[in-house]
């Protein structure tokens, strides 16, 4: 589990406790030969908090200019792309999906995190000729604000906070 995933899980669980909401965020233990559908699962009877979140990190400080569908996502032995596998899981489970992206800005600089609704990601992936989200495009989506050592949890705001769609 990456620090980004761990902090996101902890932030959700602190949020649920402080807000007196029933819900839990967790990450299933990953085994070498067992597929993992998503990085973070959030379970709650409240549909706003019944979520699946895939997490990706890119190192902007080391020259990364985009999140690529080929480089940053996997294709399994059956030729199924990770975006399609996750999309299927989200549909079958009834969860709302998101892609959370951490931009590593370099030593001594704060990391930035952004959230993209999964439907936007899936639609971009299936458009002809669209192979990525540039860093500038990622930064047009809703930023996941960080306060102290936790993220501010606001799934309703994340859905509404998308500034670009195409």
């Amino acid at each position: 589990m990456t620090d980004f995933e761990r902090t996101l899980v902890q932030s959700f669980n602190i949020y649920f406790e402080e807000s007196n909401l029933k819900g839990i965020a967790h990450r299933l233990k990953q085994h070498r030969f067992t597929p993992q559908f998503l990085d973070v699962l959030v379970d709650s009877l409240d549909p706003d908090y019944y979520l699946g979140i895939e997490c990706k990190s890119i190192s902007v400080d080391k020259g990364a200019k985009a999140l690529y569908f080929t480089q940053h996502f996997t294709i399994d032995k059956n030729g199924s792309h990770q975006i399609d596998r996750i999309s299927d899981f989200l549909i079958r489970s009834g969860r709302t999906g998101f892609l959370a992206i951490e931009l590593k800005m370099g030593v001594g600089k704060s990391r930035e995190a952004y959230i993209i609704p999964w439907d936007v990601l899936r639609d971009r992936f299936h458009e002809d000729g669209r192979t990525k989200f540039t860093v500038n495009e990622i930064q047009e989506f809703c930023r996941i604000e960080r306060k102290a050592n936790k993220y501010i949890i606001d799934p309703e705001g994340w859905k509404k906070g998308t500034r670009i769609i195409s």
Side-chain angles (χ1 to χ4, degrees):
M1 181 182 326
T2 68
D3 284 340
F4 180 45
E5 294 166 7
R6 182 178 297 110
T7 302
L8 198 56
V9 166
Q10 291 170 345
S11 297
F12 265 103
N13 289 329
I14 290 168
Y15 172 78
F16 286 136
E17 189 174 313
E18 289 176 351
S19 302
N20 201 26
L21 292 170
K22 289 185 178 182
I24 188 167
H26 56 97
R27 186 173 193 285
L28 299 175
K29 187 173 181 178
Q30 190 170 4
H31 299 283
R32 188 171 179 184
F33 299 107
T34 304
Q36 172 191 328
F37 288 109
L38 287 157
D39 291 320
V40 177
L41 296 176
V42 182
D43 293 322
S44 176
L45 292 175
D46 183 331
D48 287 340
Y49 301 102
Y50 188 58
L51 310 172
I53 303 170
E54 179 65 18
C55 298
K56 300 290 181 187
S57 293
I58 58 175
S59 298
V60 176
D61 62 319
K62 294 183 180 171
K65 299 196 182 328
L67 178 85
Y68 292 94
F69 299 146
T70 53
Q71 178 182 350
H72 295 102
F73 294 88
T74 62
I75 296 175
D76 69 11
K77 63 183 179 184
N78 299 319
S80 178
H81 195 280
Q82 186 179 12
I83 293 173
D84 289 327
R85 293 191 314 269
I86 291 173
S87 297
D88 182 60
F89 176 79
L90 292 170
I91 290 166
R92 289 168 164 251
S93 69
R95 294 176 190 272
T96 300
F98 291 98
L99 174 68
I101 306 164
E102 177 185 56
L103 302 178
K104 297 176 184 176
M105 306 308 265
V107 177
K109 296 181 182 174
S110 296
R111 296 175 180 194
E112 297 176 8
Y114 296 87
I115 194 99
I116 299 176
W118 193 262
D119 293 346
V120 174
L121 173 78
R122 186 198 60 230
D123 292 348
R124 168 75 63 99
F125 174 65
H126 285 288
E127 287 181 28
D128 288 337
R130 303 300 290 266
T131 61
K132 65 188 177 198
F133 278 102
T134 66
V135 169
N136 289 337
E137 288 175 319
I138 291 166
Q139 290 173 320
E140 289 295 321
F141 284 93
C142 189
R143 187 170 181 170
I144 308 173
E145 296 297 327
R146 191 172 175 134
K147 193 176 204 178
N149 287 331
K150 67 179 181 178
Y151 289 105
I152 306 302
I153 303 303
D154 183 18
E156 271 305 305
W158 296 347
K159 292 179 207 174
K160 296 174 186 172
T162 304
R163 292 184 285 252
I164 64 169
I165 298 296
S166 60

